Amino acid sequence: MEPPIDRIKLSQTAKDQLLKLRRNTKIDQWNILCRWAFCRSLAEPTPPSPVPIPQDSNVEMTWRVFGGEMSDIFLLALKQRCYNDGFPTDKQTLATQFRLHLHRGIGYLAGDPNIKKIEDLVELATKKI
């Protein structure tokens, strides 16, 4: 499947939030933390606010690095979410919604005072939101 975005570049705020998550969870790879964040945002019932997101950090990855072996599954989840939220599923909308979900999820995870270690992420993923 063709990815909605070739290269993902994060905002400086998201980078700082990911650094906090890295310290807490001991997960060193940006892409793994970003996967958790994307899924955390998808779990919310409302769409993310359409705010401008700067691409002002030095954290950058390709879609394939972000998704790894599950990149097609992440793309299908994004398309389904766009459909459910009443958005079109063209490449531009998918790219915008992906960036919004990713950054919202990073903010949610970094702002959660209960996430102090990797087990807290697992607990978050297995409880009902």
Side-chain angles (χ1 to χ4, degrees):
M1 298 179 98
E2 184 180 345
I5 188 168
D6 294 323
R7 300 198 73 73
I8 302 153
K9 190 165 185 178
L10 300 179
S11 69
Q12 185 61 45
T13 301
K15 177 185 175 182
D16 295 341
Q17 292 169 329
L18 285 173
L19 286 170
K20 176 186 173 188
L21 284 169
R22 280 174 71 171
R23 280 191 307 275
N24 289 346
T25 64
K26 309 295 186 255
I27 297 173
D28 289 331
Q29 293 84 10
W30 301 111
N31 61 328
I32 293 173
L33 289 170
C34 286
R35 291 173 195 172
W36 279 97
F38 178 65
C39 291
R40 173 64 183 91
S41 181
L42 288 180
E44 285 296 309
T46 58
S49 298
V51 296
I53 300 170
Q55 299 182 45
D56 56 350
S57 81
N58 62 350
V59 176
E60 188 173 348
M61 69 189 86
T62 65
W63 173 265
R64 291 290 172 202
V65 168
F66 161 75
E69 294 177 0
M70 296 179 23
S71 60
D72 287 346
I73 293 169
F74 288 124
L75 177 55
L76 289 173
L78 176 63
K79 284 183 176 183
Q80 184 64 52
R81 180 57 190 261
C82 285
Y83 175 81
N84 292 350
D85 289 342
F87 294 117
T89 56
D90 61 280
K91 190 171 182 170
Q92 180 63 40
T93 302
L94 290 171
T96 299
Q97 288 300 303
F98 172 74
R99 288 184 46 75
L100 291 172
H101 275 289
L102 178 60
H103 281 79
R104 176 173 78 169
I106 292 169
Y108 281 1
L109 292 180
D112 189 333
N114 298 316
I115 298 178
K116 304 256 187 255
K117 54 191 183 302
I118 193 169
E119 291 84 1
D120 298 330
L121 284 175
V122 174
E123 184 178 328
L124 179 67
T126 57
K127 76 175 185 178
K128 298 275 188 214
I129 294 177

